Amino acid sequence: MKDTQAYRFALDLTPRQERACRSHAGAARFAWNWGLAKCKERYQAGGGWYSAAELHKVWNARKKADPALAWWTENSKCAYQEAFRDLDRALHDFVTSRQGQRAGRRLGFPRFKKRGRCRDSFRYGTGVMRCTGKTVTLPRLGTIATHESTRKLARRLDNGTARILSATVSRTAQRWFVSFTVEVERTVPGQPGRPHSAIGVDLGIKTLLTGVDDTGTVVTVPGSKPLRMSLRRLRKASRAHSRKRLRSANRAKAAARLARVHARVANVRADALHKATSALAQRYGTVVAEDLNVAGMARNRRLARAIHDAGFGQALGMLDYKTTRNGGRLIKAGRWFPSSRACSGCGAVKTKLTLSERTYMCGTCGLVLDRDVNAAVNLLKLAASGAERLNACGGTVRPGLAGHGPVKQEPGTSHEGQTGTAAGQPAAANKELTHAH
Ligand SMILES: [Zn+2]
C-alpha cells in the first residue's frame, strides 16, 4: 500500500547555510510577489491568470534579460518554480472558494508577502535530496547536520520502501526545519491489537483525551496543558514584548523570545497528542470521536486559547490517518450529536450544559458521572448502533434524525460486552496512555 507521509527534522545550519536558507526564502517570496503582480496586471487587462508553467516561462526569459535580476543564480531554480506553483494553487483556491465549490471559510485574494511579516519558507520539487542517519542533503545547501536523528527515514530510503517527493525548508522562531514529503510503501495495513473493539473518545479541555472502550475501561490522557503550564513564561514574554518600543532592536529580541516560547509549547502539545493517538490507533479497531466544528468554536474568544491548546483539530487529523494506517477506522460523530448533553444512562438530552459543569448529573435517571466520561460513553454507543453509517458517507447527523437515535437506546443493550449498567458507570480501571507510544 502506498501512502504519503511527512518527515520533519530540525536543522543545525552552519552560518553559510543559514545565509543560503534566508536567501532562498527571499527568492521564493520575490517570485511569489513578482508572479502575483504579473497575474494582477493580466487580470486587470481582461485576461485570466498565468498558470505556474506560464509564469515560469515568462520568468526564465525575464531573469536573463534584466540585469537587476542577476542574483537569481544564487538560489536553486526550485525556489522560484515552487513559489509559482503555490501562487497558482492560491489563485485556484480563491476562485473555487468564491464560486462556493470549496469547503471552509471563504478565501481572500492572495496577498503580497513582506519580509518579517510572512513565514520564511521554500521548497524543492526536484534535485538531489538525500538523508543519512545524522544529515540531510539538499540542492545548493549541500549536506546539513540535523538536530535530531533521521535514522527512521534513512533506513526506509536505504531499503527502498520510501521515495522523497519534495522537501520544504522553513523557519519557526530561530530554528530552521526541513520537512520531506515522502511516498512510503507499507506492508499490508497492520491490524490493531483488538480489531473488533471500539472506543469512544472525548477530546477535552481539562483532560486532553478521555476514552471509554467496550469493556467499560476508562482511558484518560491528562491534558499536559503545555500552554497553561508555561503560561506564566508566555505571559511574561508577551508583556515584555508589548512594552518595548515599536520597531526597536529590543522589541525584535523580545518578539524572537516570544516566538520561541510559542514554538516550544506547540512541540510539547504535538508530542503528547502523537503518543496518545498512536496508542489508540494501535489498540482499537474503531475509534469514535466528535467532529468538532473547530473553525466555528475557535471564534469564541474565551474558549479560543483552551481549544487551541488542546489541539482538537490536530488530534482528529492524527486519529484519522493513524487509524487508517493501522487497519482500523475513525468514526466522526456529526457536530449536532449531543455527546456531552445526553445522558449515557437513559438518553435524556439536556438543553443546556455549561462548560463549568464538570460532572454530569441526570435529572431523569439520577446518573452522576464525570462529564467527559459521559460524553465518551455516548460516542462509543454511536459506533455500536450503526447510526454512524449516515455520516460516514459525508452527510451530517442532524438533531431529530439519527443524532438522537443512539442515545435513546437502553443502556447495555446496544453492544455485546458493553457493561453499561443502570447507573452507566464504567469500570473503575483507569489507564494512562501517556507512556504507550
Ligand atoms: Zn439519565
Side-chain angles (χ1 to χ4, degrees), residues 36-340:
L36 184 54
K38 281 266 170 287
C39 287
K40 273 191 161 171
E41 223 172 77
R42 188 183 211 189
Y43 185 63
Q44 275 154 9
W49 323 111
Y50 287 102
S51 71
E54 285 169 334
L55 275 176
H56 196 228
K57 223 183 257 171
V58 181
W59 166 254
N60 277 344
R62 191 91 192 106
K63 72 183 182 188
K64 283 169 198 154
D66 190 347
L69 296 177
W71 50 265
W72 70 268
T73 50
E74 287 164 29
N75 307 300
S76 159
K77 66 177 196 305
C78 284
Y80 310 95
Q81 215 165 330
E82 297 293 323
F84 295 145
R85 285 195 183 141
D86 287 346
L87 179 61
D88 198 349
R89 193 172 314 129
L91 286 166
H92 177 260
D93 287 350
F94 164 70
V95 172
T96 50
S97 173
R98 204 180 42 178
Q99 291 167 347
Q101 291 161 0
R102 194 173 188 281
R105 213 154 35 99
R106 289 262 305 245
L107 292 176
F109 191 82
R111 293 197 206 171
F112 288 104
K113 298 191 178 193
K114 203 170 167 212
R115 191 167 73 99
R117 293 241 144 247
C118 70
R119 192 171 168 76
D120 276 345
S121 130
F122 57 96
R123 191 167 62 234
Y124 296 102
T126 52
V128 180
M129 297 179 270
R130 270 195 305 259
C131 166
T132 67
K134 284 174 186 156
T135 64
V136 295
T137 305
L138 294 169
R140 299 304 287 264
L141 295 176
T143 299
I144 307 164
T146 53
H147 193 64
E148 52 209 315
S149 166
T150 58
R151 197 168 32 90
K152 275 188 182 168
L153 175 58
R155 204 187 291 142
R156 275 193 169 279
L157 291 170
D158 277 347
N159 65 25
T161 56
R163 193 164 66 88
I164 296 177
L165 301 176
S166 68
T168 303
V169 179
S170 65
R171 185 176 63 83
T172 300
Q174 289 313 306
R175 174 129 256 159
W176 288 84
F177 294 86
V178 62
S179 178
F180 290 107
T181 303
V182 180
E183 187 184 66
V184 179
E185 182 67 46
R186 275 182 215 293
T187 42
V188 226
Q191 208 177 17
R194 289 155 54 189
H196 301 296
S197 64
I199 184 163
V201 173
D202 182 69
L203 298 168
I205 289 179
K206 274 270 151 61
T207 357
L208 204 55
L209 187 155
T210 305
V212 175
D213 71 10
D214 45 16
T215 63
T217 308
V218 178
V219 178
T220 59
V221 178
S224 62
K225 279 302 187 187
L227 196 56
R228 193 162 297 166
M229 268 168 27
S230 36
L231 202 61
R232 268 186 60 178
R233 271 175 63 204
L234 202 61
R235 216 183 283 134
K236 226 177 105 189
S238 169
R239 207 160 38 212
H241 170 247
S242 65
R243 279 180 185 161
K244 301 288 184 288
R245 275 253 307 277
L246 276 175
R247 282 180 285 280
S248 67
N250 277 335
R251 186 161 177 117
K253 247 188 272 170
R257 198 186 123 65
L258 182 60
R260 270 202 309 278
V261 178
H262 269 296
R264 159 98 190 131
V265 164
N267 283 347
V268 173
R269 179 183 71 205
D271 187 56
L273 282 176
H274 268 301
K275 284 174 179 157
T277 52
S278 285
L280 288 179
Q282 277 160 20
R283 205 170 301 169
Y284 297 98
T286 303
V287 178
V288 198
E290 207 164 3
D291 189 6
L292 290 146
N293 177 14
V294 178
M297 288 178 86
R299 243 173 262 140
N300 178 340
R301 283 193 57 218
R302 278 182 60 200
L303 253 176
R305 194 179 59 206
I307 284 170
H308 185 71
D309 191 16
F312 278 149
Q314 210 182 2
L316 266 185
M318 287 177 188
L319 280 174
D320 207 347
Y321 77 74
K322 286 181 185 180
T323 46
T324 310
R325 192 179 287 172
N326 282 290
R329 60 177 182 156
L330 171 70
I331 294 171
K332 292 184 199 168
R335 62 181 148 117
W336 284 285
F337 180 70
S339 64
S340 302

Side-chain angles (χ1 to χ4, degrees), residues 343 345-348 362 364-367:
C343 169
C346 69
C362 179
T364 312
C365 72
L367 170 102

